[in-house]
Amino acid sequence: MPTLRALECLVAVLDAGSITEAAAALHMSQPALSHQLAALEKEIGAPVVERLPRGVRATPVGRAVEADARAALAAADRVVGTGKATARGAGGQLRVACAESMTAGLLAPVLRTWLRRNPLVRLQLTEATSADELARLVESGAADVAIGPRPTRWAGPAEIIGTEEIVAVLPTGHPLAERKRVTLAQLCDEPLVHYDPANGLAQWLDAETTRRGLTPAIAMRTRQAVTAAQLAAAGLGPALVPTTAIPGGLAAVLRRLTPPIERDLMCLLGNPSDPLVRRFTTDVAKRGVGVPASVTAKLDQQA
């Protein structure tokens, strides 16, 4: 197989039209350059340049391989450039997994800024419906970093980026809307918009109600927290929804719970020494848990 040095010599000779000038451009001796060309011609089995009284020119074989030689050198340059950029955290590929309910509110603003500042980084996003699924993606090597609630089992490195409050979403005119705060027991007396078992929030909320000796009535189930908030607003029943998943401007009544119910949000790290993982995690932690301003205003107004 021809070496990159031999291909570099061929391209330099074709560009300069002279062995002497090509050797000078590459800071090589003429014999050394001629040796590289000879090795390439031996590998191919035919001459690639023709010596003229003044200078050299490509043979038909040389012309045939010139484009591929240039492409190989360009690819080698990209390999080095990408490697250096990745080593300093400015390039490469980052595979991010995120809880579905947090993609729009928390992750999207970070991704927008990240891509603008790091145009050489290729981002791959995978959404998951549960914290345990996020953990499996990182453990299996399918994701470099995962953002979501605390999984039931995780022994690897992680960083807490904040807490997520669970609040009650009530349709306008609902009897509980008259209260400043509501209890989980009061909500469980109502048929709730709950979550499909495939959504990790269903298991987490079931554990919270069981711990308090409560059994909620279920009006209907949905896979998405955003949809649960919208269904509650439409009058299909109260819903327990993370503040990060409540759409801004939702036409519904929001009530905090007493006592409050919160859960940790974390970054699960596949390889914390990876420069891209470190920088991305730092940016996510710096931004913190984002909640739409209209949601925060509505909760603060009703407190």
Side-chain angles (χ1 to χ4, degrees), residues 60-212:
V61 173
R63 290 194 297 272
V65 302
E66 179 182 359
D68 286 340
R70 293 184 186 277
L73 292 173
D77 285 341
R78 288 195 299 274
V79 168
V80 175
T82 300
K84 288 182 177 179
T86 302
R88 64 176 186 270
Q93 182 182 37
L94 184 67
R95 299 166 301 168
V96 179
C98 186
E100 286 181 339
S101 62
M102 298 171 58
T103 303
L106 172 64
L107 189 57
V110 175
L111 293 181
R112 183 172 59 249
T113 302
W114 178 268
L115 289 173
R116 187 173 61 249
R117 293 178 178 174
N118 304 276
L120 297 180
V121 176
R122 301 187 307 279
L123 275 169
Q124 176 183 315
L125 174 63
T126 301
E127 293 181 288
T129 57
S130 72
D132 288 342
E133 184 181 354
L134 291 172
R136 285 192 293 270
L137 287 170
V138 177
E139 287 176 337
S140 67
D144 302 307
V145 58
I147 301 169
R150 184 188 298 273
T152 56
R153 182 186 62 82
W154 175 254
E159 182 172 338
I160 295 178
I161 59 174
T163 57
E164 181 178 54
E165 185 180 6
I166 309 298
V167 301
V169 180
L170 305 164
T172 302
H174 191 279
L176 292 178
E178 300 298 321
R179 299 175 178 269
K180 289 187 176 181
R181 289 177 178 257
V182 297
T183 67
L184 198 57
Q186 289 169 335
L187 289 170
C188 286
D189 287 337
E190 303 281 336
L192 296 176
V193 175
H194 200 25
Y195 298 96
D196 186 277
N199 187 320
L201 192 55
Q203 301 172 17
W204 188 83
L205 287 174
D206 287 345
E208 288 292 316
T209 53
T210 299
R211 189 164 61 87
R212 292 167 170 79

Side-chain angles (χ1 to χ4, degrees), residues 6 20 25 51 56-57 63 65 72 100 104 112 125 151 155 197 220 224 226 243 247:
T20 302
R51 275 69 173 177
V56 296
R57 67 183 178 189
R63 290 194 297 272
V65 302
E100 286 181 339
R112 183 172 59 249
L125 174 63
M220 61 182 304
Q224 302 286 343
V226 173
T243 51

Side-chain angles (χ1 to χ4, degrees), residues 44 141 168 204 210 235 248 252 264 301:
I44 293 174
W204 188 83
T210 299
D264 289 335
Q301 182 182 13

Side-chain angles (χ1 to χ4, degrees), residues 10 13-14 17-19 37 41 46-63:
L10 171 62
V13 168
L14 296 181
S18 162
I19 296 290
L37 289 179
E41 291 175 334
V48 292
V49 294
E50 178 184 1
R51 275 69 173 177
L52 302 173
R54 291 186 179 181
V56 296
R57 67 183 178 189
T59 65
V61 173
R63 290 194 297 272

Side-chain angles (χ1 to χ4, degrees), residues 240-252:
L240 290 162
V241 184
T243 51
T244 55
I246 298 174
L250 182 71

